[in-house]
Structure formats: structure tokens, C-alpha cells
Amino acid sequence: NKMRLALSVMSVQQFINRVERYAGASFDASCMDAWNQIEHMATTYLDYLDMRSKRGYDLSNSIIAFPRDILEEHQKMVLETEKEKVDARMKEVEERFGNIKKHYRRNFKKYHFEDDEFIIRPARSASEIVIEGRVLHHCVGGDSYLRNHNEDESFILMLRSKEHEDIPYITVEIQGTKIVQWYGAHDRKPDEDRMQQWLNQYITRLKCQGTQNIEDADLIREV
């Protein structure tokens, strides 16, 4: 039990304090957004501690038990825990699904967007999709998703906070301007209402951009 493990090295209050610090929110918060962030960070922290313990790290060491940046340290532990499998898998997929990297710039131009809080972009390579799935504990690194992206049937987009652009947060599968599905860690939807609204606005922007491109092309032909 991950919670039992955490409480073997810290008090309940210490756990609460740490999660609140990571989330930037209080357990006493009444808004749903804050609670979603609390849940996300609590799950991530427990997962981190569990991986550390299974790898033989000493959780009585405060530097290990209370990392400053939980998202960064969690990602490092995922990659360390499954290094051999991940390395072999990444080599395999880069050979089989090379178009993902080859067509990245084209897809970036079409799907990239960022504002003050978030950035969304297509995967840079097949191996990046594999890492995304491993870190978030969902199935996006499977062959079917990689094949679809490689053959331009659907695309895997990375949605991340501007503060942690290199840390997986939400994975989006898109076809044209239609979102097929989106998930965060453990097939959950963190901060669901807010992020769904953000994605809805993103899709509206994509559609308007597509219309503008068509109008520009028509204008060029007329000239």
C-alpha cells in the first residue's frame, strides 16, 4: 500500500504539508481546480515514494523523501526504474516509426499553440511518445498509437504547463481538428473542467486557422 509506505517515513501532517506545497493549494480549498491539483500531486508523490522504495533507496533520507521538484524527480524515477526496457523500446520504435520525427516540423506548424500557462505541440519522435506513456502510466506508447501518428491517421500531442515544458502532464490524440481522447497520469483527467475548456478553445483556434489557410490559398489562386 503506497499510503502505508509514506506514513512509515513521515507523519500524516508532513504528508499533507508536502502535497500542499507541491500543489500550491490547500486541502481546505473549496474550489474544484485546487482539489484536482491536490489529487494529482498526491498520486504523483505516492508513486514516486513507491518507486524509490522498490529501488532500494533510503526514504529516511529527507532529500530523497522530500524532493524539491516532485514532477521532475518522479520522471527521473520512472526512467530509472524501467531503463533497460525503455532503452530497448525506444530504439525499436525509432527504427519502425521514423516518420514521426521526420514530419515533426510540418506537424508542429499545424498543431503548436501556447499561452501564458500551457503549451501544446506534437510529439517530436516515437521515443518521446514511449516516454510519455511510461511517465504517465498510460498506453499511448503502444504500437497502434505510434503507427497512426507515423502514417498521419491521428497525432499524439503533448500538453504541458509552461513552468514544466519537459514534464508530461496531459496527452492528447487528435484527428484533424477533432480530439479523439485526452488523459493525464493513470488514465485520469486532471483539472478536467478547466482543461476541457482550454482544449475546446484550442480546437476553435485550429478550425479558424484552417479556414484562414483555405482563404489564403484561394486568394493566391485568384491572383
Side-chain angles (χ1 to χ4, degrees):
N1 185 289
K2 294 180 181 180
M3 191 67 227
R4 187 176 294 113
L5 170 65
L7 295 182
S8 71
V9 296
M10 68 186 76
S11 67
V12 172
Q13 191 59 53
Q14 283 178 309
F15 178 78
I16 290 173
N17 292 345
R18 184 56 50 163
V19 171
E20 288 181 335
R21 178 177 175 180
Y22 292 145
S26 170
F27 275 85
D28 295 332
S30 57
C31 74
M32 187 58 67
D33 288 350
W35 264 107
N36 286 330
Q37 187 67 0
I38 286 282
E39 181 182 27
H40 173 59
M41 289 301 177
T43 300
T44 301
Y45 187 34
L46 290 173
D47 195 42
Y48 161 82
L49 292 172
D50 183 59
M51 287 188 289
R52 281 287 196 183
S53 177
K54 288 178 178 177
R55 295 288 293 174
Y57 285 90
D58 181 10
L59 294 183
S60 65
N61 183 324
S62 61
I63 295 176
I64 292 174
F66 305 107
R68 179 175 298 177
D69 190 327
I70 187 58
L71 295 177
E72 181 179 346
E73 293 303 318
H74 176 266
Q75 177 168 284
K76 287 180 182 178
M77 283 309 303
V78 169
L79 298 180
E80 178 183 320
T81 298
E82 302 185 358
K83 185 178 188 307
E84 291 184 5
K85 291 181 180 179
V86 171
D87 287 349
R89 176 64 173 162
M90 288 196 296
K91 181 179 179 180
E92 173 202 351
V93 300
E94 285 301 326
E95 293 174 353
R96 294 175 59 195
F97 308 108
N99 282 343
I100 297 176
K101 180 182 290 185
K102 182 179 179 181
H103 296 159
Y104 171 68
R105 288 188 178 181
R106 178 198 68 187
N107 294 328
F108 181 88
K109 184 177 181 180
K110 180 177 180 179
Y111 286 114
H112 166 261
F113 173 70
E114 59 184 279
D115 59 17
D116 292 340
E117 292 186 90
F118 300 102
I119 179 172
I120 189 168
R121 61 166 177 80
R124 296 190 180 102
S125 64
S127 57
E128 187 178 43
I129 296 176
V130 170
I131 293 174
E132 182 93 353
R134 297 279 181 168
V135 171
L136 295 181
H137 300 284
H138 58 43
C139 60
V140 75
D143 281 4
S144 61
Y145 295 102
L146 293 166
R147 186 180 302 109
N148 287 344
H149 191 134
N150 195 66
E151 298 175 4
D152 294 346
E153 293 181 6
S154 67
F155 299 95
I156 300 302
L157 309 181
M158 278 63 174
L159 171 54
R160 297 171 177 180
S161 74
K162 292 294 291 292
E163 186 178 356
H164 294 96
E165 289 189 23
D166 296 324
I167 305 296
Y169 179 48
I170 287 172
T171 313
V172 179
E173 182 184 11
I174 194 168
Q175 291 179 332
T177 57
K178 178 183 178 181
I179 291 180
V180 179
Q181 58 182 329
W182 67 271
Y183 287 104
H186 302 279
D187 289 324
R188 296 178 180 176
K189 294 190 172 184
D191 204 357
E192 183 171 1
D193 291 342
R194 181 185 180 208
M195 297 316 302
Q196 184 64 63
Q197 182 179 12
W198 194 93
L199 285 167
N200 290 344
Q201 294 171 348
Y202 168 67
I203 291 299
T204 298
R205 183 183 179 87
L206 280 184
K207 290 178 179 178
C208 291
Q209 178 178 297
T211 300
Q212 184 62 51
N213 289 340
I214 292 172
E215 291 175 352
D216 290 345
D218 288 342
L219 183 59
I220 291 172
R221 281 194 291 269
E222 289 174 5
V223 173

